[in-house]
Amino acid sequence: MTDESLTFEAALEELESIVSQLEAGDMTLDQTIQLFERGQELAARCETILSEAELRLETLQTSAGGTYSRISMTDETGDE
Amino acid sequence: MIERKRWTVGELTRYVRQLFETDYRLQDVEVEGEVSDIRMPGSGHAYFTLKDAEAQLRCVMWRSDVANQVYLPQQGDRVLVRGRMGVYDVQGQYQLYTQRIQPAGQGDLHAQFERLKAKLQAEGLFDADRKRPLPPLPRVIGVATSASTAALQDVLNVLRRRYPLAQIVLAPTVVQGDQAPPQIVAALNALNNQSDVEVILLVRGGGSLEDLWCFNDERVARAVENSRLPVISGVGHEIDFTLADFAADLRAPTPSAAAELVTPITAADLAGHIEALRQQLAGHLQQTVDSRRRVLQEAGYQLRQASPRGRIDNLRQRIDGLAGRVEQAARQQTALRRAALQGTRRALDAISPMKTLARGYAIVQGADGQVLRDADDAAPGSALHIRLYRGRLSATVDRQETDHD
């Protein structure tokens, strides 16, 4: 199974690389099947991330000393 | 104590209106100002505000007068307006009932804008080759605008719909008034200091020329140009161009459009792309299996080709061919021999001893069958066989006479 921490970008990149490897040919049937299965997992991972994606919003707040910290907007409204 | 008159609002308003209407100076006025907030709703009447540095004046132009206008003013135009002053009771507002509008040269703010624009342009701030490319799939998008405004909500709605994969970092700033330029600059700097932010949206909803003026501030334009991260501006409406727009890497006509431009590839596009990759994967697997199957079929064909049966059939045919040739060769040889034999027989006939015997010669043979040529070879008393032309004789040697020298 694919790693749950795999980001969308990383999964997509690997998936695209697998498809180009397959395109280049010169694979044994076993290798092809292995790449196909990995590709299917990665596609499923990408689709999961896409369907579960929710826009995250953070606000920059000035702290003492002029540095900025980030406050998640949903957390902030929850506190108030 | 003097009884003070108590007005109703309507009465007082009507009284004020009458003051306007009875002042001949107010019944035909010409006034110069800058057009702001011009609206033309479905009714066909035009509503706008005339401004100068000190004050604002509400104006209305009825549809019949609008129809007579060749020139229709736009936001920011400096115009000369002619009409009469009156009061709109319902809203308790005095306004200029406009009969005619004509352009009166460009407004002061506009002239100021053009001067600053020319200066920054000369410095190369707006050059096309200073525009940076935008990340195609931004993971973290910075937004510099005022919190809890419609513009921010528009941006968030578009991003939520198009690209919910993104993380938004808001740098709040006021976007109107004297405080706006330094705060906008600070917000841009703050976003540039975030290591994960990849692109910045600098946005503000629509407003009057004065409202948007902070985006024409030189400090803001320079901060946009100096930004480490690419900046997409989306200030006001389609018709509003600010110096921040010119300095930005990409100018969007509205905040919503900025959110669309920052996400050229949507989540739906990505889902389609992944579906296409899935199909390519399946296609490649199918292709590989098919090609192996073809190799297998080809090998089977070649195996059948290599079978001895075929070779045996070939050889059999070859043997048949050879046998035919042998037969034919033999027939030919027989014919040749026969011809040769006839020739030989004729030659043999020519030298046959029978012809000699017929002339009276005889062949004498000894007892052992040897043809005798020498008398010494036949001792007296030995038997002789004599062959004549016809028949044979047996004789005995009586005497020898040799022809020795």
Side-chain angles (χ1 to χ4, degrees):
Chain A
M1 282 308 292
T2 46
D3 183 355
E4 283 297 306
S5 67
L6 196 62
T7 64
F8 180 84
E9 289 79 4
L12 180 60
E13 196 178 322
E14 193 184 338
L15 176 57
E16 284 176 331
S17 129
I18 281 177
V19 169
S20 18
Q21 280 180 61
L22 287 172
E23 239 157 36
D26 283 348
M27 297 274 164
T28 66
L29 188 56
D30 279 351
Q31 282 170 326
T32 303
I33 290 170
Q34 266 176 22
L35 286 176
F36 171 78
E37 283 174 348
R38 177 68 180 154
Q40 290 282 344
E41 282 170 14
L42 290 165
R45 172 79 185 140
C46 286
E47 281 162 354
T48 306
I49 294 174
L50 275 181
S51 65
E52 289 175 359
E54 269 185 57
L55 200 70
R56 286 159 297 154
L57 179 59
E58 290 179 345
T59 301
L60 287 179
Q61 284 202 336
T62 337
S63 320
T67 57
Y68 285 89
S69 59
R70 288 195 196 175
I71 313 292
S72 168
M73 289 297 264
T74 44
D75 288 352
E76 191 186 318
T77 50
D79 289 345
E80 284 169 356
Chain B
M1 191 173 180
I2 303 163
E3 175 106 22
R4 193 187 295 256
K5 176 171 170 60
R6 288 207 175 161
W7 300 84
T8 66
V9 173
E11 284 170 339
L12 186 54
T13 304
R14 258 194 308 282
Y15 181 77
V16 170
R17 176 154 60 93
Q18 278 161 16
L19 286 181
F20 275 81
E21 286 172 0
T22 53
D23 186 332
Y24 74 94
R25 279 172 299 192
L26 292 182
Q27 289 313 295
D28 186 6
V29 295
E30 276 195 346
V31 56
E32 195 177 319
E34 190 172 301
V35 174
S36 182
D37 292 329
I38 185 159
R39 291 182 293 122
M40 282 188 61
S43 61
H45 311 312
Y47 302 89
F48 59 98
T49 303
L50 274 189
K51 289 183 173 182
D52 64 11
E54 295 166 19
Q56 303 192 355
L57 174 64
R58 292 231 173 207
C59 303
V60 56
M61 190 177 210
W62 302 127
R63 181 174 50 199
S64 53
D65 292 312
V66 171
N68 289 329
Q69 282 290 133
V70 177
Y71 159 76
L72 284 173
Q74 291 196 335
Q75 183 84 8
D77 285 2
R78 187 118 188 130
V79 292
L80 184 65
V81 172
R82 186 166 180 183
R84 63 175 179 84
M85 289 303 296
V87 172
Y88 180 37
D89 299 18
V90 177
Q91 287 184 359
Q93 272 181 345
Y94 70 91
Q95 51 190 11
L96 180 68
Y97 292 86
T98 309
Q99 276 124 35
R100 204 187 62 208
I101 311 174
Q102 62 190 78
Q106 294 178 325
D108 288 343
L109 284 176
H110 197 255
Q112 193 185 330
F113 171 86
E114 288 297 342
R115 272 197 306 275
L116 188 52
K117 182 183 166 195
K119 174 185 160 193
L120 297 180
Q121 197 151 28
E123 282 183 37
L125 240 70
F126 309 149
D127 288 0
D129 59 6
R130 298 180 86 153
K131 309 292 183 199
R132 285 151 298 193
L134 302 170
L137 295 174
R139 293 166 70 171
V140 184
I141 300 171
V143 181
T145 193
S146 177
S148 43
T149 57
L152 176 60
Q153 283 315 311
D154 287 350
V155 166
L156 294 180
N157 287 339
V158 170
L159 293 178
R160 200 171 283 127
R161 170 168 55 79
R162 286 176 65 89
Y163 201 67
L165 294 169
Q167 182 183 352
I168 312 304
V169 177
L170 171 68
T173 167
V174 297
V175 286
Q176 186 169 340
D178 292 346
Q179 279 310 299
Q183 283 201 22
I184 292 171
V185 171
L188 292 176
N189 288 338
L191 289 171
N192 271 304
N193 285 330
Q194 303 294 308
S195 59
D196 55 349
V197 174
E198 295 168 37
V199 57
I200 295 173
L201 304 186
L202 175 60
V203 297
R204 187 207 192 282
S208 69
L209 189 63
E210 288 79 4
D211 290 343
L212 303 184
W213 198 251
C214 54
F215 292 92
N216 290 323
D217 190 284
E218 186 171 350
R219 288 165 290 175
V220 172
R222 289 192 186 282
V224 167
E225 203 278 329
N226 284 330
S227 172
R228 173 179 70 86
L229 299 168
V231 176
I232 302 178
S233 66
V235 176
H237 296 301
E238 179 69 56
I239 55 161
D240 301 317
F241 275 85
T242 66
L243 294 182
D245 287 325
F246 290 115
D249 297 282
L250 186 61
R251 183 250 175 189
T254 61
S256 301
E260 288 186 11
L261 290 175
V262 80
T263 53
I265 299 168
T266 67
D269 293 336
L270 288 173
H273 179 51
I274 286 157
E275 178 55 31
L277 288 174
R278 256 193 198 283
Q279 282 174 13
Q280 285 183 49
L281 273 181
H284 284 306
L285 181 63
Q286 186 66 49
Q287 224 177 326
T288 308
V289 170
D290 285 352
S291 84
R292 296 303 186 279
R293 186 169 289 146
R294 270 196 304 279
V295 167
L296 199 58
Q297 282 170 349
E298 177 69 14
Y301 174 74
Q302 284 179 351
L303 196 60
R304 282 195 296 283
Q305 284 297 99
S307 153
R309 176 193 295 275
R311 235 176 121 208
I312 288 167
D313 287 348
N314 279 347
L315 288 172
R316 188 170 287 156
Q317 197 167 354
R318 211 167 131 204
I319 288 164
D320 276 352
L322 286 172
R325 281 165 67 191
V326 164
E327 201 174 316
Q328 197 185 352
R331 241 194 319 272
Q332 245 168 21
Q333 285 298 319
T334 309
L336 280 176
R337 295 265 163 78
R338 186 170 290 141
L341 192 59
Q342 276 166 1
T344 308
R345 189 172 286 162
R346 270 194 296 277
L348 211 56
D349 279 352
I351 60 162
S352 168
M354 295 307 281
K355 297 217 166 136
T356 310
L357 293 179
R359 291 208 300 273
Y361 291 89
I363 296 168
V364 180
Q365 291 169 298
D368 55 0
Q370 283 284 327
V371 173
L372 297 178
R373 290 180 181 82
D374 195 335
D376 280 350
D377 293 337
S382 61
L384 291 175
H385 298 288
I386 301 165
R387 188 168 180 142
L388 302 177
Y389 178 61
R390 277 186 193 126
R392 297 161 190 263
L393 298 170
S394 291
T396 307
V397 178
D398 291 338
R399 188 171 48 92
Q400 266 180 321
E401 277 177 34
T402 56
D403 286 344
H404 292 304
D405 298 330

